[in-house]
Amino acid sequence: LPLGPGGKISAVYKVRTSTPTTHLVFDVTGYFLADTTQTLYNPVTPARILDTRINLGLTGRFLTGVPRTLTVWGHGNVPVNARAVTGNLAVTLQTASGYVGLTPDPDPNPATSTINFPVGDNRANGVTARLNATGQLSAVYKTKNGGQSTDLVFDVTGYYMDSASGGLLFYPLNPGRIMDTRAGMVLSGLSGPFTGSKDDSLNNRTLDTASHQGIPLTGLSITGNLAVVSATKAGYVAIKKTLGEVPETSSINFPVGDVRSNGVTVPLNTSGDLVLHYHTSGGGTVQVILDIAGYFAP
């Protein structure tokens, strides 16, 4: 997120009636300075490095209150000496509501949460997470009662490394809407809902981001908020760089009929495009919205 004068951000709670209230919680995971000599960003083709359902990265499910450590260096095109990663953390098949906290080193009681969830929902959250000195990331599943378990999935979309050259700088923008497929809301040339398919080679749609909402032709990666509305079938939306790419990752998971959003940091192809695919068991439609908060460029 870009900061305003005095290093501030503002928030507003919008509802259809005037009486409700809400509490907000905000956890900081990093910051950017106007300095080209420090840690720079490198996008990668999204890659799955953790999936406990198939014993990828770690073997077996996460148990309540037991932190586990995942080696990130050398996986998903993340090199040795990377300082932090961006990606997407998802929970599935959880036996109790709770949260997962990501920390550089094992911590059974983290001060912050990375993703919160109820029972029986496949839920994801975009993350920027610092690695420890040996390139590892730890996670812990927290619930009110012990004896619970969950599967975790983590997809990497990029990394930060100390380098004076070869990486990308971050350019914050005033958040702006670049895509909205709902009727009367057509932006960037994509009109009408996405149609679901269990074949990742079908029903892919290309979104041109270059020269829209302040993103220049030199932009190689974007940050923003991806939202889905009016899904008629549960599934996920995957963001990839090209039409021919078969994604092994997801950007947002959702049930039927829920308005849901997720922060994303995703790479662009050399034309400034990204490709979106709605994966379901077959059929179904969903409206998709994408808001841009910044971009990475040389």
PDB file of all heavy atoms in Angstrom, residues 185-210:
ATOM      1  N   MET A 185     -19.779  -2.435 -15.740  1.00  0.00           N
ATOM      2  CA  MET A 185     -18.534  -2.131 -15.045  1.00  0.00           C
ATOM      3  C   MET A 185     -17.313  -2.514 -15.881  1.00  0.00           C
ATOM      4  O   MET A 185     -16.224  -2.676 -15.341  1.00  0.00           O
ATOM      5  CB  MET A 185     -18.475  -2.885 -13.704  1.00  0.00           C
ATOM      6  CG  MET A 185     -19.624  -2.585 -12.774  1.00  0.00           C
ATOM      7  SD  MET A 185     -19.469  -0.963 -12.026  1.00  0.00           S
ATOM      8  CE  MET A 185     -20.826  -1.015 -10.847  1.00  0.00           C
ATOM      9  N   VAL A 186     -17.475  -2.707 -17.173  1.00  0.00           N
ATOM     10  CA  VAL A 186     -16.431  -3.278 -18.008  1.00  0.00           C
ATOM     11  C   VAL A 186     -15.206  -2.372 -18.045  1.00  0.00           C
ATOM     12  O   VAL A 186     -15.292  -1.191 -18.373  1.00  0.00           O
ATOM     13  CB  VAL A 186     -16.949  -3.537 -19.433  1.00  0.00           C
ATOM     14  CG1 VAL A 186     -15.831  -4.084 -20.311  1.00  0.00           C
ATOM     15  CG2 VAL A 186     -18.113  -4.496 -19.402  1.00  0.00           C
ATOM     16  N   LEU A 187     -14.053  -2.933 -17.685  1.00  0.00           N
ATOM     17  CA  LEU A 187     -12.784  -2.216 -17.718  1.00  0.00           C
ATOM     18  C   LEU A 187     -11.752  -3.077 -18.437  1.00  0.00           C
ATOM     19  O   LEU A 187     -11.781  -4.301 -18.361  1.00  0.00           O
ATOM     20  CB  LEU A 187     -12.294  -1.908 -16.296  1.00  0.00           C
ATOM     21  CG  LEU A 187     -13.182  -0.983 -15.450  1.00  0.00           C
ATOM     22  CD1 LEU A 187     -12.670  -0.953 -14.017  1.00  0.00           C
ATOM     23  CD2 LEU A 187     -13.183   0.418 -16.018  1.00  0.00           C
ATOM     24  N   SER A 188     -10.842  -2.449 -19.142  1.00  0.00           N
ATOM     25  CA  SER A 188      -9.712  -3.116 -19.804  1.00  0.00           C
ATOM     26  C   SER A 188     -10.143  -4.196 -20.799  1.00  0.00           C
ATOM     27  O   SER A 188      -9.409  -5.139 -21.045  1.00  0.00           O
ATOM     28  CB  SER A 188      -8.754  -3.717 -18.767  1.00  0.00           C
ATOM     29  OG  SER A 188      -8.157  -2.687 -18.022  1.00  0.00           O
ATOM     30  N   GLY A 189     -11.341  -4.073 -21.331  1.00  0.00           N
ATOM     31  CA  GLY A 189     -11.722  -4.921 -22.449  1.00  0.00           C
ATOM     32  C   GLY A 189     -12.263  -6.285 -22.103  1.00  0.00           C
ATOM     33  O   GLY A 189     -12.610  -7.040 -23.015  1.00  0.00           O
ATOM     34  N   LEU A 190     -12.360  -6.661 -20.833  1.00  0.00           N
ATOM     35  CA  LEU A 190     -12.921  -7.966 -20.463  1.00  0.00           C
ATOM     36  C   LEU A 190     -14.367  -7.774 -20.035  1.00  0.00           C
ATOM     37  O   LEU A 190     -14.649  -7.121 -19.037  1.00  0.00           O
ATOM     38  CB  LEU A 190     -12.105  -8.621 -19.347  1.00  0.00           C
ATOM     39  CG  LEU A 190     -10.666  -9.003 -19.689  1.00  0.00           C
ATOM     40  CD1 LEU A 190     -10.025  -9.753 -18.525  1.00  0.00           C
ATOM     41  CD2 LEU A 190     -10.610  -9.836 -20.950  1.00  0.00           C
ATOM     42  N   SER A 191     -15.289  -8.345 -20.800  1.00  0.00           N
ATOM     43  CA  SER A 191     -16.708  -8.160 -20.565  1.00  0.00           C
ATOM     44  C   SER A 191     -17.368  -9.490 -20.246  1.00  0.00           C
ATOM     45  O   SER A 191     -17.124 -10.499 -20.908  1.00  0.00           O
ATOM     46  CB  SER A 191     -17.365  -7.550 -21.812  1.00  0.00           C
ATOM     47  OG  SER A 191     -18.752  -7.443 -21.642  1.00  0.00           O
ATOM     48  N   GLY A 192     -18.202  -9.503 -19.223  1.00  0.00           N
ATOM     49  CA  GLY A 192     -18.946 -10.705 -18.876  1.00  0.00           C
ATOM     50  C   GLY A 192     -18.177 -11.629 -17.967  1.00  0.00           C
ATOM     51  O   GLY A 192     -16.950 -11.549 -17.843  1.00  0.00           O
ATOM     52  N   PRO A 193     -18.879 -12.540 -17.286  1.00  0.00           N
ATOM     53  CA  PRO A 193     -18.253 -13.401 -16.278  1.00  0.00           C
ATOM     54  C   PRO A 193     -17.284 -14.397 -16.897  1.00  0.00           C
ATOM     55  O   PRO A 193     -17.362 -14.728 -18.082  1.00  0.00           O
ATOM     56  CB  PRO A 193     -19.436 -14.118 -15.641  1.00  0.00           C
ATOM     57  CG  PRO A 193     -20.486 -14.122 -16.712  1.00  0.00           C
ATOM     58  CD  PRO A 193     -20.327 -12.830 -17.436  1.00  0.00           C
ATOM     59  N   PHE A 194     -16.395 -14.894 -16.055  1.00  0.00           N
ATOM     60  CA  PHE A 194     -15.513 -15.995 -16.432  1.00  0.00           C
ATOM     61  C   PHE A 194     -16.294 -17.297 -16.376  1.00  0.00           C
ATOM     62  O   PHE A 194     -17.120 -17.497 -15.488  1.00  0.00           O
ATOM     63  CB  PHE A 194     -14.325 -16.084 -15.475  1.00  0.00           C
ATOM     64  CG  PHE A 194     -13.223 -15.117 -15.766  1.00  0.00           C
ATOM     65  CD1 PHE A 194     -13.408 -13.743 -15.600  1.00  0.00           C
ATOM     66  CD2 PHE A 194     -11.990 -15.561 -16.203  1.00  0.00           C
ATOM     67  CE1 PHE A 194     -12.390 -12.850 -15.859  1.00  0.00           C
ATOM     68  CE2 PHE A 194     -10.960 -14.676 -16.467  1.00  0.00           C
ATOM     69  CZ  PHE A 194     -11.162 -13.316 -16.304  1.00  0.00           C
ATOM     70  N   THR A 195     -16.038 -18.193 -17.321  1.00  0.00           N
ATOM     71  CA  THR A 195     -16.642 -19.515 -17.338  1.00  0.00           C
ATOM     72  C   THR A 195     -15.652 -20.533 -16.801  1.00  0.00           C
ATOM     73  O   THR A 195     -14.483 -20.547 -17.205  1.00  0.00           O
ATOM     74  CB  THR A 195     -17.068 -19.917 -18.756  1.00  0.00           C
ATOM     75  OG1 THR A 195     -18.011 -18.968 -19.249  1.00  0.00           O
ATOM     76  CG2 THR A 195     -17.704 -21.293 -18.768  1.00  0.00           C
ATOM     77  N   GLY A 196     -16.095 -21.380 -15.887  1.00  0.00           N
ATOM     78  CA  GLY A 196     -15.206 -22.331 -15.236  1.00  0.00           C
ATOM     79  C   GLY A 196     -14.900 -23.541 -16.099  1.00  0.00           C
ATOM     80  O   GLY A 196     -15.676 -23.923 -16.983  1.00  0.00           O
ATOM     81  N   SER A 197     -13.760 -24.150 -15.819  1.00  0.00           N
ATOM     82  CA  SER A 197     -13.353 -25.373 -16.505  1.00  0.00           C
ATOM     83  C   SER A 197     -12.363 -26.111 -15.623  1.00  0.00           C
ATOM     84  O   SER A 197     -11.578 -25.498 -14.902  1.00  0.00           O
ATOM     85  CB  SER A 197     -12.706 -25.048 -17.857  1.00  0.00           C
ATOM     86  OG  SER A 197     -12.147 -26.220 -18.432  1.00  0.00           O
ATOM     87  N   LYS A 198     -12.381 -27.441 -15.681  1.00  0.00           N
ATOM     88  CA  LYS A 198     -11.370 -28.222 -14.976  1.00  0.00           C
ATOM     89  C   LYS A 198     -10.147 -28.472 -15.849  1.00  0.00           C
ATOM     90  O   LYS A 198      -9.157 -29.040 -15.392  1.00  0.00           O
ATOM     91  CB  LYS A 198     -11.948 -29.541 -14.479  1.00  0.00           C
ATOM     92  CG  LYS A 198     -12.530 -30.444 -15.551  1.00  0.00           C
ATOM     93  CD  LYS A 198     -13.147 -31.674 -14.913  1.00  0.00           C
ATOM     94  CE  LYS A 198     -13.814 -32.564 -15.948  1.00  0.00           C
ATOM     95  NZ  LYS A 198     -14.448 -33.754 -15.324  1.00  0.00           N
ATOM     96  N   ASP A 199     -10.210 -28.029 -17.112  1.00  0.00           N
ATOM     97  CA  ASP A 199      -9.072 -28.101 -18.030  1.00  0.00           C
ATOM     98  C   ASP A 199      -8.397 -26.741 -18.049  1.00  0.00           C
ATOM     99  O   ASP A 199      -8.957 -25.753 -18.543  1.00  0.00           O
ATOM    100  CB  ASP A 199      -9.554 -28.484 -19.432  1.00  0.00           C
ATOM    101  CG  ASP A 199      -8.407 -28.695 -20.415  1.00  0.00           C
ATOM    102  OD1 ASP A 199      -7.276 -28.258 -20.119  1.00  0.00           O
ATOM    103  OD2 ASP A 199      -8.651 -29.275 -21.488  1.00  0.00           O
ATOM    104  N   ASP A 200      -7.174 -26.665 -17.500  1.00  0.00           N
ATOM    105  CA  ASP A 200      -6.485 -25.380 -17.365  1.00  0.00           C
ATOM    106  C   ASP A 200      -6.096 -24.767 -18.703  1.00  0.00           C
ATOM    107  O   ASP A 200      -5.710 -23.590 -18.760  1.00  0.00           O
ATOM    108  CB  ASP A 200      -5.228 -25.547 -16.504  1.00  0.00           C
ATOM    109  CG  ASP A 200      -5.567 -25.891 -15.061  1.00  0.00           C
ATOM    110  OD1 ASP A 200      -6.632 -25.455 -14.598  1.00  0.00           O
ATOM    111  OD2 ASP A 200      -4.781 -26.598 -14.412  1.00  0.00           O
ATOM    112  N   SER A 201      -6.198 -25.515 -19.786  1.00  0.00           N
ATOM    113  CA  SER A 201      -5.868 -24.970 -21.103  1.00  0.00           C
ATOM    114  C   SER A 201      -7.068 -24.294 -21.758  1.00  0.00           C
ATOM    115  O   SER A 201      -6.926 -23.681 -22.826  1.00  0.00           O
ATOM    116  CB  SER A 201      -5.337 -26.077 -22.019  1.00  0.00           C
ATOM    117  OG  SER A 201      -6.349 -27.033 -22.297  1.00  0.00           O
ATOM    118  N   LEU A 202      -8.253 -24.389 -21.147  1.00  0.00           N
ATOM    119  CA  LEU A 202      -9.468 -23.827 -21.724  1.00  0.00           C
ATOM    120  C   LEU A 202      -9.928 -22.592 -20.949  1.00  0.00           C
ATOM    121  O   LEU A 202      -9.614 -22.427 -19.767  1.00  0.00           O
ATOM    122  CB  LEU A 202     -10.586 -24.871 -21.713  1.00  0.00           C
ATOM    123  CG  LEU A 202     -10.333 -26.167 -22.496  1.00  0.00           C
ATOM    124  CD1 LEU A 202     -11.509 -27.118 -22.310  1.00  0.00           C
ATOM    125  CD2 LEU A 202     -10.087 -25.875 -23.969  1.00  0.00           C
ATOM    126  N   ASN A 203     -10.681 -21.741 -21.630  1.00  0.00           N
ATOM    127  CA  ASN A 203     -11.352 -20.582 -21.023  1.00  0.00           C
ATOM    128  C   ASN A 203     -10.392 -19.604 -20.351  1.00  0.00           C
ATOM    129  O   ASN A 203     -10.752 -18.924 -19.386  1.00  0.00           O
ATOM    130  CB  ASN A 203     -12.411 -21.043 -20.013  1.00  0.00           C
ATOM    131  CG  ASN A 203     -13.471 -21.916 -20.624  1.00  0.00           C
ATOM    132  OD1 ASN A 203     -13.686 -21.888 -21.838  1.00  0.00           O
ATOM    133  ND2 ASN A 203     -14.139 -22.713 -19.808  1.00  0.00           N
ATOM    134  N   ASN A 204      -9.159 -19.523 -20.832  1.00  0.00           N
ATOM    135  CA  ASN A 204      -8.218 -18.535 -20.315  1.00  0.00           C
ATOM    136  C   ASN A 204      -8.505 -17.168 -20.939  1.00  0.00           C
ATOM    137  O   ASN A 204      -8.856 -17.076 -22.114  1.00  0.00           O
ATOM    138  CB  ASN A 204      -6.782 -18.952 -20.634  1.00  0.00           C
ATOM    139  CG  ASN A 204      -6.379 -20.204 -19.902  1.00  0.00           C
ATOM    140  OD1 ASN A 204      -6.437 -20.258 -18.680  1.00  0.00           O
ATOM    141  ND2 ASN A 204      -5.986 -21.232 -20.642  1.00  0.00           N
ATOM    142  N   ARG A 205      -8.329 -16.124 -20.147  1.00  0.00           N
ATOM    143  CA  ARG A 205      -8.581 -14.765 -20.650  1.00  0.00           C
ATOM    144  C   ARG A 205      -7.395 -13.874 -20.301  1.00  0.00           C
ATOM    145  O   ARG A 205      -6.837 -13.961 -19.199  1.00  0.00           O
ATOM    146  CB  ARG A 205      -9.877 -14.210 -20.057  1.00  0.00           C
ATOM    147  CG  ARG A 205     -11.080 -15.071 -20.389  1.00  0.00           C
ATOM    148  CD  ARG A 205     -12.349 -14.571 -19.731  1.00  0.00           C
ATOM    149  NE  ARG A 205     -12.831 -13.332 -20.331  1.00  0.00           N
ATOM    150  CZ  ARG A 205     -13.930 -12.689 -19.920  1.00  0.00           C
ATOM    151  NH1 ARG A 205     -14.630 -13.171 -18.895  1.00  0.00           N
ATOM    152  NH2 ARG A 205     -14.324 -11.576 -20.502  1.00  0.00           N
ATOM    153  N   THR A 206      -7.028 -13.014 -21.239  1.00  0.00           N
ATOM    154  CA  THR A 206      -5.842 -12.165 -21.101  1.00  0.00           C
ATOM    155  C   THR A 206      -6.244 -10.744 -20.736  1.00  0.00           C
ATOM    156  O   THR A 206      -7.114 -10.149 -21.382  1.00  0.00           O
ATOM    157  CB  THR A 206      -5.040 -12.146 -22.411  1.00  0.00           C
ATOM    158  OG1 THR A 206      -4.633 -13.485 -22.728  1.00  0.00           O
ATOM    159  CG2 THR A 206      -3.800 -11.272 -22.275  1.00  0.00           C
ATOM    160  N   LEU A 207      -5.589 -10.206 -19.706  1.00  0.00           N
ATOM    161  CA  LEU A 207      -5.813  -8.830 -19.277  1.00  0.00           C
ATOM    162  C   LEU A 207      -4.560  -8.010 -19.569  1.00  0.00           C
ATOM    163  O   LEU A 207      -3.470  -8.355 -19.116  1.00  0.00           O
ATOM    164  CB  LEU A 207      -6.128  -8.783 -17.781  1.00  0.00           C
ATOM    165  CG  LEU A 207      -6.272  -7.391 -17.165  1.00  0.00           C
ATOM    166  CD1 LEU A 207      -7.518  -6.703 -17.702  1.00  0.00           C
ATOM    167  CD2 LEU A 207      -6.332  -7.476 -15.638  1.00  0.00           C
ATOM    168  N   ASP A 208      -4.727  -6.922 -20.312  1.00  0.00           N
ATOM    169  CA  ASP A 208      -3.617  -6.018 -20.627  1.00  0.00           C
ATOM    170  C   ASP A 208      -3.525  -4.970 -19.518  1.00  0.00           C
ATOM    171  O   ASP A 208      -4.465  -4.204 -19.302  1.00  0.00           O
ATOM    172  CB  ASP A 208      -3.855  -5.353 -21.979  1.00  0.00           C
ATOM    173  CG  ASP A 208      -2.752  -4.373 -22.354  1.00  0.00           C
ATOM    174  OD1 ASP A 208      -1.651  -4.480 -21.774  1.00  0.00           O
ATOM    175  OD2 ASP A 208      -2.997  -3.511 -23.204  1.00  0.00           O
ATOM    176  N   THR A 209      -2.401  -4.918 -18.806  1.00  0.00           N
ATOM    177  CA  THR A 209      -2.230  -3.948 -17.727  1.00  0.00           C
ATOM    178  C   THR A 209      -1.382  -2.754 -18.134  1.00  0.00           C
ATOM    179  O   THR A 209      -1.433  -1.710 -17.481  1.00  0.00           O
ATOM    180  CB  THR A 209      -1.563  -4.601 -16.499  1.00  0.00           C
ATOM    181  OG1 THR A 209      -0.206  -4.914 -16.811  1.00  0.00           O
ATOM    182  CG2 THR A 209      -2.301  -5.862 -16.088  1.00  0.00           C
ATOM    183  N   ALA A 210      -0.576  -2.897 -19.199  1.00  0.00           N
ATOM    184  CA  ALA A 210       0.356  -1.836 -19.593  1.00  0.00           C
ATOM    185  C   ALA A 210      -0.405  -0.555 -19.936  1.00  0.00           C
ATOM    186  O   ALA A 210      -1.409  -0.573 -20.663  1.00  0.00           O
ATOM    187  CB  ALA A 210       1.203  -2.295 -20.773  1.00  0.00           C
TER     188      ALA A 210
END
